[in-house]
């Protein structure tokens, strides 16, 4: 399987959301994994994380991985309706970082 450009050996992804109250860009550095052409994040603080609250209001985000920058559509993965995906992403995160507990967020650069 071909890995997305900029992801091999890269530890962090830079996610820019739009502030739900201010409309201003908000960038965070976060661990990530990838699967099937999409990128996945795990929010330790679940819905309390401001970046999760932001993307739920404005799902269009900007992403930087290594030297690659792209727009993506973000969504929270519902573990009840997509348990297989949620488990797979958490396992990928556990393998890469030794940690994978929290809310799974998908970034789809194709949309």
């Amino acid at each position: 399987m071909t890995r997305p450009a900029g992801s091999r050996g890269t530890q962090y992804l830079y996610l820019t959301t739009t502030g739900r109250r201010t409309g201003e860009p908000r960038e965070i550095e976060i661990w990530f994994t990838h699967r099937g052409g999409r990128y996945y994040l795990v929010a330790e603080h679940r819905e309390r994380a401001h970046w999760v609250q932001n993307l739920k209001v404005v799902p269009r985000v900007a992403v930087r991985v290594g030297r690659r920058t792209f727009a993506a559509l973000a969504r929270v993965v519902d573990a009840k309706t997509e348990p297989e995906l949620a488990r797979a992403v958490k396992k990928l995160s556990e393998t890469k970082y030794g940690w994978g507990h929290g809310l799974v967020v998908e970034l789809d650069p194709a949309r």
Side-chain angles (χ1 to χ4, degrees):
M1 177 170 77
T2 304
R3 290 181 181 225
S7 66
R8 180 167 291 173
T10 304
Q11 292 296 307
Y12 300 104
L13 174 149
Y14 295 86
L15 174 70
T16 302
T17 60
T18 301
R20 65 195 176 286
R21 294 187 183 130
T22 66
E24 296 293 321
R26 302 288 183 228
E27 183 182 74
I28 64 164
E29 176 183 80
I30 191 165
W31 287 347
F32 74 99
T33 58
H34 49 84
R35 178 179 190 260
R38 295 182 176 140
Y39 292 81
Y40 292 92
L41 316 173
V42 179
E44 177 181 13
H45 298 290
R46 308 188 62 77
E47 289 88 358
R48 291 188 324 263
H50 290 179
W51 63 270
V52 172
Q53 292 173 21
N54 289 344
L55 66 80
K56 287 174 88 173
V57 173
V58 181
R60 217 10 107 189
V61 297
V63 179
R64 183 168 41 97
V65 181
R67 294 182 182 168
R68 182 172 182 228
T69 301
F70 55 91
L73 190 62
R75 72 178 185 96
V76 172
V77 173
D78 185 340
K80 290 180 183 174
T81 61
E82 298 175 277
E84 215 172 281
L85 176 59
R87 277 192 305 270
V89 170
K90 288 179 180 186
K91 185 174 181 177
L92 286 171
S93 186
E94 287 169 5
T95 299
K96 186 174 181 182
Y97 299 106
W99 178 89
H101 304 288
L103 182 72
V104 175
V105 173
E106 178 182 84
L107 305 176
D108 185 351
R111 294 186 66 181

